[in-house]
Amino acid sequence: MPGVEGYMYPNEVSLYWSVLIVLYPYITGLVAGAFILASLERIFHVEAVKPTYRLALLTALAFLLVAPLPLQLHLGHPERSYEMYLTPHRTSAMAMFGFVYLWYLMAVLVVEIWLDFRADIVALSQTTTGWRRLMYRILTLGSTDVSERALHIDERVGWFVTLIGIPSAFLLHGYVGFIFGSIKANPWWSSPLMPVVFIFSAMVSGIAAVMLVYMAMMRLRREPIDMRCVDKIAQYMMYIFVIDFSLEMLDLVHRIYEADESFRSLNFMVHTKLWFSQVILQICIGTIVPISLIALVQIVKFSEKWRKAIYVVSGSLTLIGVLAMRWNVVIGGQLFSKSFLGYTTYKIALVTREGLLVSIGLMILPLVILAVLVKILPPWPEKSAVSLPAPSVGD
Amino acid sequence: MSVFRNAGHLFRLAAVFVVGTVAFLVIRAAVVPRSFGEYGHYRGAAISEIASLPLHFAGHQTCETCHTDIAKMKSAGMHAHVNCEACHGPLEKHVKDPSIDPGKPDAAVLCVRCHAASAARPKWFPQVDPAQHSGGIACTTCHNPHNPVIAAGGSK
């Protein structure tokens, strides 16, 4: 049989989870990471990253809106998916995740964005005309109270929402790792470290994405990049990346030392089918190179121009590396036989519902949504400082 | 109350959530079938709906009430645990009206489904290369499908 080596059980020859299931944890990871970056400023008072705070929230929302799409495209009957909310099975992790997603979207992200942008929304509802005015008026929910006290309340409530948001973001992405880590029949996935590794790699990818989006947007707007801010972001990215890499290596060392009955088969797979995507792309190019580059910036004094270039390169490599990690987990876990005697091949289709073109579209879509969100809710300081009318008392 | 002064917008936001939750509960009550959860995590009425579907299979006990000779022969052979309708197909119509002839299965197609040689089958299971074994002659020429081992007196 083409693409099959050794002995495969008949139901293992074709993969059930395609590239879309690779994208799903990747996208949710970007959401969680972007939110954690936003919370750095809000909860941990890292003032340097403030310029990216609002952008990080909007990035998280843009990616979160797209996160369920790969799953919907993968489902045989997507029109039935809403039933998960109507009659959820309490023992199903996937069913419960629907509520985690909804909680994170509605109770955390939308509320936090609304509270943070409320003053701008009120101002825009009074300075715009036509359908934009109507849209902003709806977004104000009929309240134009932007008095000092009201904004102070928003600040306090927003802080509390972010505080709840951090464990929620962990839950959101920890679930994805949990789903894989709890599959005891698959030795490539079954590891209690899986949710932790997923969370840390999510933080790394989300931070890298926001850093790149911020740099790109500043360039598009022909504005100077706040180097203090990107220096700090890159630094945090490196710290978290080191933890993430250590955890991944801990998992690897543990597997090698434990060397259970699956080890020979998995070891062979890593040295053959996953050699490029795991060893070269994920570990070398996608992890060691970006960590080393950012570490170098901490040691050697580079000019601003060089630092920018290093951050763009290391941020891009990080995103590629984390995507490769998702690929190696999802696809790698389906390439070997449970008999440990055979291997199959995954050939990505081009123009199918679960093909390459759809995947590329799904990765572009959040950026389009982000562009629209940035247009509706400008995260830039000078835009937020639109002249507000005299604070009204009450609503 | 002074505590809630300038917090009106939060109540409006809370109201949106309350309206959303109430709408969800109303839709849920309207959409989820009444019998859902009656016996388990499924629609209880589905059982009676499925029960009312027309029958296709009669079951081997029904066949054996009339075809006692075949049942006796079959019970002594290797096919004792193969159900009648596994080879003959659904026979409920024949049971309702015995004048309906269900016809005989095509042995050339049927037997090889289980007995064509395949590495995936257990070694003890009787399997042959049909072309080599019978040269195109129908299996039933030599074997009686109800007791197929020739040495056991199952030959035709």
Side-chain angles (χ1 to χ4, degrees):
Chain A
M1 196 176 277
V4 175
E5 295 160 40
Y7 185 80
M8 290 297 278
Y9 292 119
N11 61 337
E12 294 171 331
V13 172
S14 354
L15 276 66
Y16 294 99
W17 287 359
S18 66
V19 66
L20 292 187
I21 309 300
V22 175
L23 287 189
Y24 165 67
Y26 186 58
I27 294 174
T28 48
L30 293 173
V31 176
F35 186 84
I36 299 290
L37 178 63
S39 67
L40 272 182
E41 194 272 326
R42 193 93 192 222
I43 302 289
F44 303 107
H45 304 293
V46 183
E47 284 300 312
V49 300
K50 200 168 184 172
T52 59
Y53 170 67
R54 291 175 135 201
L55 186 64
L57 285 182
L58 295 182
T59 308
L61 180 61
F63 279 94
L64 191 62
L65 290 173
V66 177
L69 285 185
L71 297 183
Q72 295 287 353
L73 283 161
H74 175 72
L75 288 175
H77 277 282
E79 78 282 2
R80 292 183 193 163
S81 62
Y82 76 97
E83 290 179 14
M84 192 173 73
Y85 286 110
L86 298 178
T87 53
H89 208 303
R90 283 190 299 257
T91 57
S92 158
M94 287 191 185
M96 285 304 107
F97 176 72
F99 290 96
V100 173
Y101 173 83
L102 203 62
W103 162 266
Y104 190 72
L105 175 67
M106 300 309 294
V108 176
L109 213 47
V110 168
V111 170
E112 185 166 340
I113 290 174
W114 187 74
L115 289 172
D116 204 75
F117 282 88
R118 212 175 60 79
D120 303 52
I121 293 169
V122 170
L124 286 162
S125 75
Q126 290 161 356
T127 51
T128 48
T129 51
W131 67 269
R132 283 171 64 89
R133 184 186 179 87
L134 181 68
M135 178 182 71
Y136 288 120
R137 286 186 74 161
I138 292 169
L139 286 176
T140 62
L141 301 179
S143 167
T144 53
D145 184 3
V146 284
S147 62
E148 202 176 312
R149 187 178 147 77
L151 293 181
H152 177 68
I153 291 172
D154 287 353
E155 176 64 30
R156 295 291 295 274
V157 175
W159 182 87
F160 183 69
V161 171
T162 315
L163 193 65
I164 298 171
I166 295 173
S168 303
F170 274 68
L171 196 64
L172 179 85
H173 202 65
Y175 154 81
V176 184
F178 175 84
I179 278 289
F180 289 103
S182 60
I183 299 179
K184 62 184 167 192
N186 189 322
W188 187 245
W189 290 337
S190 179
S191 160
L193 265 181
M194 200 63 100
V196 188
V197 169
F198 262 68
I199 287 168
F200 277 93
S201 56
M203 283 196 255
V204 172
S205 65
I207 293 173
V210 175
M211 183 177 77
L212 290 178
V213 167
Y214 170 72
M215 291 173 86
M217 285 207 172
M218 286 297 115
R219 197 179 172 86
L220 283 174
R221 291 167 56 80
R222 295 174 198 282
E223 280 179 27
I225 293 170
D226 184 338
M227 283 313 286
R228 194 171 145 256
C229 170
V230 273
D231 283 339
K232 204 75 185 166
I233 292 176
Q235 213 174 34
Y236 273 100
M237 192 176 94
M238 185 192 70
Y239 294 150
I240 300 169
F241 216 166
V242 169
I243 299 172
D244 175 45
F245 188 51
S246 311
L247 286 168
E248 281 182 32
M249 288 304 106
L250 180 65
D251 187 43
L252 192 69
V253 170
H254 182 255
R255 281 167 189 273
I256 294 169
Y257 191 73
E258 196 179 66
D260 68 5
E261 71 276 10
S262 66
F263 180 70
R264 277 167 65 99
S265 177
L266 299 183
N267 189 40
F268 180 77
M269 184 173 74
V270 170
H271 284 87
T272 51
K273 289 194 175 275
L274 293 186
W275 180 255
F276 176 72
S277 62
Q278 177 131 18
V279 179
I280 307 290
L281 211 55
Q282 182 190 329
I283 298 177
C284 295
I285 299 174
T287 306
I288 296 173
V289 172
I291 289 180
S292 309
L293 282 175
I294 302 173
L296 198 65
V297 175
Q298 314 303 314
I299 302 163
V300 183
K301 266 198 170 296
F302 283 103
S303 68
E304 196 177 306
K305 190 183 158 195
W306 271 101
R307 290 210 312 279
K308 276 182 200 167
I310 288 173
Y311 294 153
V312 168
V313 170
S314 50
S316 309
L317 291 180
T318 301
L319 287 177
I320 293 169
V322 175
L323 180 63
M325 181 262 184
R326 310 296 193 234
W327 173 279
N328 294 322
V329 169
V330 178
I331 303 297
Q334 302 172 84
L335 292 182
F336 64 94
S337 169
K338 188 72 173 47
S339 67
F340 303 133
L341 294 170
Y343 304 89
T344 188
T345 310
Y346 175 59
K347 189 164 182 285
I348 189 166
L350 186 66
V351 199
T352 59
R353 197 171 63 160
E354 298 194 44
L356 184 65
L357 284 185
V358 169
S359 308
I360 294 170
L362 281 174
M363 285 317 298
I364 295 171
L365 187 59
L367 300 176
V368 176
I369 294 175
L370 180 63
V372 174
L373 285 174
V374 166
K375 202 91 184 152
I376 296 172
L377 301 170
W380 322 115
E382 71 279 10
K383 286 275 181 184
S384 60
V386 233
S387 54
L388 291 173
S392 57
V393 179
D395 290 334
Chain B
M1 271 205 296
S2 63
V3 184
F4 298 121
R5 196 159 49 86
N6 299 105
H9 58 284
L10 293 180
F11 287 106
R12 285 168 190 263
L13 183 68
V16 171
F17 275 89
V18 170
V19 168
T21 309
V22 170
F24 169 75
L25 292 173
V26 169
I27 292 169
R28 186 177 185 273
V31 173
V32 176
R34 295 235 171 274
S35 65
F36 187 89
E38 207 174 322
Y39 308 115
H41 199 77
Y42 57 92
R43 194 165 52 87
I47 290 181
S48 52
E49 280 172 30
I50 293 165
S52 67
L53 290 172
L55 287 177
H56 297 289
F57 290 89
H60 68 99
Q61 297 92 339
T62 316
C63 306
E64 285 158 8
T65 53
C66 298
H67 302 280
T68 45
D69 52 336
I70 302 286
K72 196 178 166 193
M73 188 197 295
K74 193 164 140 313
S75 66
M78 297 288 276
H79 282 169
H81 299 292
V82 177
N83 268 314
C84 310
E85 287 161 305
C87 298
H88 290 278
L91 293 168
E92 174 65 14
K93 279 183 188 164
H94 171 68
V95 169
K96 287 259 169 64
D97 180 2
S99 68
I100 296 175
D101 183 4
K104 283 188 177 172
D106 182 358
V109 180
L110 194 69
C111 303
V112 293
R113 235 181 247 168
C114 297
H115 295 289
S118 166
R121 294 199 167 109
K123 284 201 174 67
W124 56 264
F125 190 81
Q127 42 194 318
V128 294
D129 176 351
Q132 202 182 39
H133 182 72
S134 62
I137 302 167
C139 311
T140 46
T141 313
C142 303
H143 297 274
N144 184 328
H146 295 118
N147 189 350
V149 178
I150 297 172
S155 59
K156 285 193 90 174

